[in-house]
Amino acid sequence: MNGFADRGLDEGAFGEKDSSGFRQNIRTFDAFPKTKPTYTRRTSTGGYTTLLLVTLSLFLSISEFLRWYRGHETHLFSVEKGVSHQLQINLDIIVPMLCHDLHVNVQDASGDRILAGDLLTKDPTNWSQWADASGAHRLADQRHVKEEEEDTHVGHVLGEVGGRKRKKFKRTPGLGWGSGAGRSCRIFGSLEGNKVQGDFHITARGHGYMEMGDHLDHDAFNFSHIINELSFGPLYPSLLNPLDRTAATTDDHFYKFQYYLSVVPTIYTRSPSPPPPPTAHKPHDTTPLPPDYSTRNTIITNQYAATSQSHPVNERTIPGIFFKFDIEPILLTVREERMSFLWLVVRVVNVVSGVLVGGGWCYQLAGWGKEVLRGRARGGGRGEGMLNGRVFHGDGEEGEED
């Protein structure tokens, strides 16, 4: 019945049973010493702290998972390789003038002049059908800038146009009834030009080039306009460009709208090694674009930055709408990357272990500080007690024990 009489103060009786051999030798390397449950005490404060740490670890783990799932974007600038000869220009613009009074021309640095009026479609329309439509705004409108920024992310671009058939321009709405029906013109379509610096402009009949025929009366000039689409490369109407859905108006007959565009070839991709831009096109080559020009994971297109300088002009200057574009000799690759699943596991383990270890240290320090404060509050800084036979009274005087 009395274990002390049999074993005395044998420390081995308070630990695990002794074992010899390999297992006993391995125990000397144990970096995780164990404490019997008999010598531990659970508190409500420790329980609340544990729940807090577990909740924090779960929140941070979910954040790491979402960050890994969304991936991250990298922007790489490089010199454009290969030789590209042609560039597709997509235009959709409304001008409050009669269609037969407008001329559209394209001229590039190589000296080639394209009679774009013969290649683009001109449909009579009503200005009010487009001016009253929601979405038309001035250039550099803040809401337009935010929408445009969304179209610079790989996930949004591929979600809008990746793997889909190329869309065409929308049909022109019917004219309806009224005295002003058909007094405006919608000019839209795509045309091929040389991939060099150039400009295209919209002027009035009899102005801008030496042409046979009557000059248009100056009172009929009105170069106010609404740009529904202006892009370079394959037509993707769902992608928003700087001049898309912009409007500019004037009450002056002689007014010159000027836009300066800087075009940058761009690749949006999720692929580790996207295909290079198509370079097989040669002058007057009518072969279709290669199938990898637009895939589910890669979109090859062009971005541009736009600035505007518009002002009234005198009668000796040609009024109109002028677009001057320059092709930058660089290639921008916007790639969406996602790290490996092992990277995610390592991140989650680091976060959870860091929270638990750091929380444990804070809990231990808080407990130690609490004990120190309690000791000072009880003893007032004097802890001799009854060991030497002296007793401290409340008035600070010492006395001998009777």
Side-chain angles (χ1 to χ4, degrees):
M1 298 295 293
N2 190 354
F4 178 75
D6 298 335
R7 301 184 181 181
L9 297 177
D10 183 10
E11 294 183 359
F14 297 93
E16 297 182 4
K17 293 183 179 181
D18 188 16
S19 60
S20 58
F22 180 75
R23 294 181 59 187
Q24 179 62 24
N25 296 332
I26 287 297
R27 286 181 183 177
T28 59
F29 299 99
D30 188 2
F32 308 97
K34 314 301 185 297
T35 302
K36 286 188 175 183
T38 308
Y39 306 124
T40 60
R41 181 169 58 94
R42 301 180 184 274
T43 62
S44 57
T45 304
Y48 287 130
T49 304
T50 302
L51 290 178
L52 177 62
L53 295 179
V54 170
T55 303
L56 181 60
S57 299
L58 182 61
F59 173 76
L60 295 178
S61 298
I62 295 176
S63 300
E64 288 293 334
F65 174 79
L66 295 177
R67 178 185 175 188
W68 170 81
Y69 183 79
R70 289 192 297 263
H72 65 280
E73 290 184 354
T74 59
H75 295 72
L76 176 63
F77 288 92
S78 60
V79 177
E80 186 178 12
K81 299 179 180 179
V83 179
S84 300
H85 296 278
Q86 291 186 332
L87 177 66
Q88 179 175 315
I89 303 174
N90 310 299
L91 177 66
D92 185 356
I93 187 171
I94 293 90
V95 182
M97 294 176 62
L98 297 177
C99 288
H100 66 269
D101 291 338
L102 293 173
H103 284 184
V104 185
N105 296 283
V106 178
Q107 187 170 8
D108 55 44
S110 64
D112 289 350
R113 177 188 171 190
I114 302 174
L115 297 178
D118 299 334
L119 302 176
L120 300 176
T121 302
K122 295 181 180 179
D123 286 345
T125 187
N126 299 325
W127 177 262
S128 59
Q129 291 178 315
W130 305 91
D132 298 338
S134 60
H137 50 76
R138 300 289 179 179
L139 183 62
D141 183 84
Q142 291 301 320
R143 291 179 299 175
H144 183 271
V145 171
K146 291 182 179 180
E147 294 177 0
E148 185 183 345
E149 289 179 353
E150 293 180 358
D151 281 349
T152 60
H153 297 294
V154 176
H156 181 80
V157 173
L158 296 181
E160 289 290 332
V161 300
R164 301 181 184 179
K165 295 182 179 180
R166 299 180 192 173
K167 296 183 179 180
K168 299 180 179 180
F169 291 96
K170 295 182 179 180
R171 297 181 58 182
T172 305
L175 295 179
W177 300 93
S179 58
R183 302 296 296 178
S184 298
C185 183
R186 181 194 180 198
I187 306 171
F188 66 98
S190 300
L191 53 91
E192 295 286 343
N194 297 322
K195 195 174 181 180
V196 294
Q197 177 183 354
D199 61 88
F200 62 94
H201 38 266
I202 301 175
T203 57
R205 173 170 50 87
H207 296 76
Y209 288 100
M210 297 299 297
E211 299 174 353
M212 300 299 294
D214 297 333
H215 284 215
L216 181 66
D217 186 81
H218 294 172
D219 293 336
F221 290 177
N222 186 356
F223 290 101
S224 300
H225 57 275
I226 298 175
I227 302 175
N228 294 322
E229 174 78 24
L230 178 58
S231 59
F232 298 86
L235 175 61
Y236 300 124
S238 58
L239 296 184
L240 189 62
N241 296 284
L243 292 181
D244 292 354
R245 302 207 303 262
T246 59
T249 59
T250 181
D251 295 329
D252 297 325
H253 296 298
F254 278 83
Y255 202 89
K256 189 174 186 179
F257 292 94
Q258 298 180 97
Y259 297 96
Y260 300 91
L261 314 177
S262 180
V263 183
V264 179
T266 305
I267 298 177
Y268 296 97
T269 182
R270 286 196 180 109
S271 175
S273 55
T279 58
H281 274 101
K282 298 180 180 180
H284 311 294
D285 185 6
T286 59
T287 56
L289 293 171
D292 59 352
Y293 194 81
S294 175
T295 64
R296 184 176 181 180
N297 294 320
T298 301
I299 294 295
I300 301 177
T301 182
N302 297 274
Q303 294 185 92
Y304 65 86
T307 57
S308 173
Q309 184 181 11
S310 304
H311 53 83
V313 295
N314 55 44
E315 294 187 1
R316 295 183 179 180
T317 305
I318 300 174
I321 308 171
F322 299 84
F323 300 89
K324 184 177 181 61
F325 59 90
D326 190 11
I327 311 298
E328 300 294 339
I330 59 176
L331 174 66
L332 171 61
T333 302
V334 184
R335 179 181 289 109
E336 184 180 83
E337 298 177 337
R338 181 185 298 172
M339 305 301 291
S340 64
F341 185 75
L342 179 61
W343 179 91
L344 173 64
V345 173
V346 172
R347 292 282 300 182
V348 172
V349 170
N350 288 339
V351 168
V352 174
S353 60
V355 169
L356 297 181
V357 172
W361 287 350
C362 293
Y363 180 75
Q364 295 292 340
L365 291 175
W368 174 79
K370 187 177 181 180
E371 292 295 334
V372 171
L373 294 177
R374 282 182 180 179
R376 290 183 177 179
R378 291 176 180 177
R382 296 175 176 178
E384 294 188 51
M386 299 290 293
L387 293 178
N388 56 8
R390 293 192 298 273
V391 179
F392 288 93
H393 300 286
D395 54 3
E397 296 180 357
E398 292 185 4
E400 296 291 339
E401 184 182 3
D402 294 336

